[in-house]
Amino acid sequence: MRIRQILLIAFVALGLGLATLIQGMGQPAFSCEYHPEAYEGLAMEGLEQELTGSGLIGRVHGAAPAMAVLTVREPDNFFEHREFSLVPANADIREALGAVHRHDQVCLQGEWLYNPSSQPHLLVKEMAVLESWQGGREYEHQTQVTQDIPDRTLVGVVHAVGAEGDVLVIDYDDAVLPVMVRDPAWTAGLYRGDLVRIDYGWRRIPARPPHAYLTQPPTVVDAIASLHNQPKTLTGHLVKFPQSPQLQFDVYGLAVETLGQQRIFTLVNFQDPEVFGAIRQRLATLWEEQEEGAIAGRNYLINPHLTLTATGTINVTSPQQANPQILLATPEAVHQ
C-alpha cells in the first residue's frame, strides 16, 4: 500500500476542466461536455452514453501505424482505467487518428463496434483534440509488423494482457503486435515485461492493424517477477520519460537488453523524497551533459551514447506495472 501511495506523488490527478482545455483550440461539432458521474466505476453503460452523446473523453494511450488506443480513467483515481481500441469510420477520421500522439486528450463520438474479441473496440465517427501534448518528439516506427517480425514464432516482451486474458499484446523491437488468445488460461500469470516465446498465425480480419493468434500457450523465457526483491547490477542506455499529463516530473530509467529485446527499468527511491530528488538531479545532469546524443523512442527519449550501470533492488509489485523498477539507495548507486 505504501508504494501505491507514494506512486501518486509522481502522477498528476486528472482534472478535466473542459473550458480550460479547449480554450483557443476551436469548438468541436459536438459538445464534449465532461460528466464525472458517467465515468464513476467505468461502467460500460455510462461510457456508452457519453460515446453516443456529448462525447467520450480520454487520453491517447498509444498511437502506432493503423492503430490507436484510448485510455479512459475514473475521476480522481489514476489507477482505475479502461483501454479501448479505436477504429476509424471513414478516411478523415483515419487521418486524424494517425496524427494524434501519446497523452493527447481527445473527445470521441461514435458507437461500440461488435467484434469477436473481448477487447472493446470503438467505431469513431467524430473526433476532437482537446489538449495536444507537445513534450515528446516525432517518432517513426522502424519495425514493420508483417515484414520485419519473424514468421510463426518469436521472442518478445509482454506489453499487456487485456480483456480478462483473451488478448495478449507483444512488443517486438518497436512494433506492437495484438495477439488473440484461444484460452484465457494460456495468459494467466503473465506479467507486463515478461520475455515470452510465442507460436502464432496471422488473422485475415482485421487487415489493419495486423493481428496474430496463438497456436499454443506462450513459453515464459524470462519472468520479470522472478527478479522481485533481488539485488541486481544492470547496465543499459539512459532513458528519459519527459514530464507529461501523467508525470509530475521527468522520470529516468535504463534500457536493458535481454535476448535481443529491450526492457526499461525505472530508477527510483520510495523511502526518502530528498534522496529520490538527488537521484533525479544526478540523472538530469548526466542527461543534459550529453543531450545532443538523445533520440526519440516509442514513448520516451533514449541516449544510445550514454551507458550507465545501476545497483539496487528490483521492484515488481503488479502484473500491470508499467516498468520494473530499480530501487536505488543513493545517487551514487548509478554511475557511468
Side-chain angles (χ1 to χ4, degrees):
M1 178 61 70
R2 176 171 173 78
I3 289 177
R4 182 183 178 91
Q5 292 171 338
I6 295 174
L7 277 172
L8 285 170
I9 297 173
F11 293 111
V12 174
L14 300 180
L16 297 172
L18 182 64
T20 301
L21 294 175
I22 65 174
Q23 184 177 2
M25 301 185 67
Q27 182 68 34
F30 45 108
S31 64
C32 284
E33 296 178 11
Y34 181 71
H35 305 114
E37 65 278 5
Y39 297 79
E40 290 287 351
L42 300 175
M44 298 298 268
E45 294 81 4
L47 300 182
E48 181 177 13
Q49 184 175 351
E50 297 301 284
L51 178 66
T52 58
S54 63
L56 182 67
I57 296 175
R59 289 194 182 269
V60 176
H61 168 76
M67 178 170 63
V69 176
L70 180 76
T71 295
V72 176
R73 297 188 186 275
E74 192 172 354
D76 302 320
N77 190 346
F78 180 88
F79 293 98
E80 295 298 327
H81 54 86
R82 286 185 182 271
E83 272 73 45
F84 300 94
S85 298
L86 305 181
V87 179
N90 53 56
D92 289 341
I93 297 298
R94 180 179 296 111
E95 181 178 356
L97 286 174
V100 297
H101 303 89
R102 184 177 177 89
H103 302 311
D104 284 358
Q105 187 177 62
V106 297
C107 179
L108 307 177
Q109 193 176 58
E111 62 188 47
W112 301 128
L113 183 65
Y114 171 78
N115 74 98
S117 163
S118 299
Q119 167 65 16
H121 286 58
L122 308 183
L123 183 66
V124 182
K125 299 179 179 179
E126 300 286 347
M127 185 182 86
V129 177
L130 303 182
E131 184 182 56
S132 181
W133 184 62
Q134 304 296 328
R137 299 186 189 177
E138 292 292 335
Y139 178 71
E140 293 186 8
H141 285 252
Q142 304 300 308
T143 304
Q144 302 300 315
V145 171
T146 55
Q147 299 175 22
D148 300 327
I149 290 182
D151 197 22
R152 303 299 179 184
T153 185
L154 62 82
V155 173
V157 181
V158 173
H159 179 87
V161 177
E164 298 182 350
D166 285 343
V167 177
L168 173 65
V169 183
I170 293 291
D171 288 330
Y172 182 85
D173 291 342
D174 69 339
V176 181
L177 177 63
V179 185
M180 302 299 101
V181 180
R182 183 185 310 167
D183 184 349
W186 289 4
T187 57
L190 288 182
Y191 274 62
R192 181 170 181 169
D194 281 347
L195 270 171
V196 295
R197 177 178 291 105
I198 64 169
D199 295 305
Y200 65 96
W202 292 109
R203 293 174 59 97
R204 289 190 296 174
I205 299 174
R208 292 165 54 106
H211 284 58
Y213 64 90
L214 288 181
T215 57
Q216 63 182 27
T219 301
V220 178
V221 177
D222 190 67
I224 196 68
S226 68
L227 303 180
H228 180 60
N229 271 340
Q230 299 296 313
K232 293 288 181 182
T233 296
L234 299 177
T235 298
H237 300 310
L238 185 59
V239 166
K240 176 181 177 180
F241 294 94
Q243 182 181 7
S244 73
Q246 276 71 50
L247 297 174
Q248 274 191 332
F249 42 71
D250 296 338
V251 173
Y252 294 89
L254 284 188
V256 179
E257 185 175 307
T258 304
L259 297 178
Q261 296 299 309
Q262 175 181 277
R263 293 190 292 202
I264 296 176
F265 291 77
T266 309
L267 301 171
V268 297
N269 178 296
F270 293 136
Q271 301 303 314
D272 188 329
E274 290 188 7
V275 172
F276 191 17
I279 290 170
R280 296 200 313 275
Q281 183 56 56
R282 175 178 175 82
L283 294 170
T285 299
L286 290 170
W287 181 273
E288 292 166 4
E289 288 174 350
Q290 301 190 44
E291 189 170 8
E292 68 280 357
I295 60 176
R298 198 172 65 203
N299 63 326
Y300 51 83
L301 302 174
I302 183 170
N303 193 329
H305 307 291
L306 181 51
T307 301
L308 300 181
T309 296
T311 299
T313 302
I314 306 300
N315 188 54
V316 182
T317 59
S318 166
Q320 292 83 37
Q321 185 172 317
N323 291 306
Q325 299 153 346
I326 306 177
L327 305 181
L328 305 175
T330 67
E332 291 71 33
V334 58
H335 57 84
Q336 289 181 281

